[in-house]
Amino acid sequence: MSNPSSITATAALLLSLISTVTSHYSSSTFSSSPPAPQSTVWHSARATYYAASDPRDAVGGACGYGDLVKAGYGMATVGLSEALFQRGQICGACFELRCVDDLRWCIPGTSIIVTATNFCAPNYGFTAEGGGRCNPPNKHFVLPIEAFEKIAIWKAGNMPVQYRRIKCRKEGGVRFTIDGSGIFVSVLISNVGGAGDIFAVKIKGSRTGWLPMGRNWGQNWHINSDLRNQPLSFEVTNSIGLTLTSYNVAPKNWNFGQTFEGKQFDA
């Protein structure tokens, strides 16, 4: 099915990085705001695909979600060029893509919905028009071959597509995976519905007020504060200003490496 040289070339566009364990606790509320972004306007871009050397491989990404299957994203994911990636803020956003302008390779009447989980790095050894597919200002999507083949024949290679931002519909609540050591606390936030992305995060222990967290990379947020032996609450704000406040998501006896689930943004 696959052309090895095509796979090698497009796979080289991706950066792969770094897991999720599950547990459950939550009591949450959220403020009312406008609905999550959903555009009726289609924009032009291009798309290629990659395939893991072994289908059993765990495919991570620059958003920090780790094993995308275990994290609940599966193969409905995409790596974005620099013009779209927004230094990681776009991580978790959902897009609808369809193949256009090529009757030889497009599968008519089809589209796919994917979540942004990775970054397609620029290759400044080439111009944007001459091989640097993910170089600015190109808007480029790199898809798993399983997703690509739902809208186009794999032989298409570098395919013209149209895309639009849509609401994310996720099962279950927002997930908070706590990592770190001592007073360094890192939280991976995943499975975010609605807008899908995250603009700002605050954390609160039972002995603290609300403390702002900084974006480390992708959707990994960090803080230096001794929050051990305290139940933890989170305040998550997305790019359209809607805030989800999850109280006592993690119990007093939480440990690094655990994942806890809060409520969910409306989709």
Side-chain angles (χ1 to χ4, degrees):
M1 176 189 72
S2 302
N3 181 329
S5 61
S6 175
I7 292 172
T8 302
T10 52
L13 296 171
L14 287 176
L15 294 176
S16 290
L17 298 173
I18 341 206
S19 212
T20 305
V21 186
T22 55
S23 186
H24 188 91
Y25 263 85
S26 76
S27 173
S28 312
T29 60
F30 62 91
S31 62
S32 58
S33 267
Q38 178 150 347
S39 175
T40 58
V41 179
W42 292 89
H43 305 278
S44 296
R46 299 191 75 87
T48 47
Y49 67 85
Y50 71 95
S53 58
D54 186 320
R56 296 169 296 180
D57 287 351
V59 180
C63 291
Y65 297 129
D67 187 317
L68 297 175
V69 175
K70 289 183 179 179
Y73 295 103
M75 291 290 101
T77 59
V78 66
L80 303 177
S81 64
E82 188 170 298
L84 295 168
F85 191 65
Q86 300 175 14
R87 297 187 177 183
Q89 185 177 312
I90 200 69
C91 289
C94 296
F95 296 88
E96 184 176 9
L97 275 70
R98 65 186 183 188
C99 180
V100 294
D101 299 336
D102 198 327
L103 298 178
R104 293 177 303 165
W105 309 121
C106 290
I107 299 174
T110 60
S111 68
I112 54 172
I113 295 173
V114 291
T115 302
T117 61
N118 210 340
F119 175 53
C120 178
N123 183 348
Y124 293 114
F126 298 91
T127 65
E129 301 80 18
R133 296 170 179 172
C134 290
N135 293 5
N138 292 347
K139 294 180 178 179
H140 197 90
F141 294 81
V142 182
L143 298 160
I145 191 168
E146 294 88 342
F148 186 91
E149 288 189 316
K150 293 183 183 300
I151 58 171
I153 307 301
W154 66 271
K155 290 182 179 179
N158 187 12
M159 193 74 197
V161 296
Q162 290 180 335
Y163 73 95
R164 62 181 177 179
R165 180 88 176 265
I166 65 169
K167 298 176 184 178
C168 297
R169 302 183 185 278
K170 302 297 183 183
E171 294 185 7
V174 174
R175 297 175 192 149
F176 302 88
T177 301
I178 305 172
D179 213 332
S181 178
I183 66 169
F184 177 76
V185 178
S186 176
V187 180
L188 168 63
I189 304 175
S190 61
N191 201 54
V192 180
D197 58 7
I198 301 171
F199 181 75
V201 179
K202 293 181 180 180
I203 190 171
K204 181 183 182 301
S206 58
R207 300 192 297 270
T208 73
W210 286 104
L211 306 172
M213 302 187 76
R215 187 190 303 275
N216 195 340
W217 55 278
Q219 292 302 4
N220 286 273
W221 297 75
H222 70 278
I223 190 170
N224 286 307
S225 182
D226 190 355
L227 296 168
R228 292 168 291 187
N229 300 312
Q230 303 175 60
L232 300 180
S233 303
F234 294 92
E235 184 180 279
V236 177
T237 302
N238 63 23
S239 61
I240 61 169
L242 196 157
T243 297
L244 179 76
T245 305
S246 298
Y247 292 102
N248 301 321
V249 172
K252 180 180 180 180
N253 62 342
W254 64 268
N255 288 305
F256 293 117
Q258 290 182 302
T259 297
F260 302 95
E261 188 171 301
K263 291 290 182 71
Q264 184 61 270
F265 288 100
D266 276 343

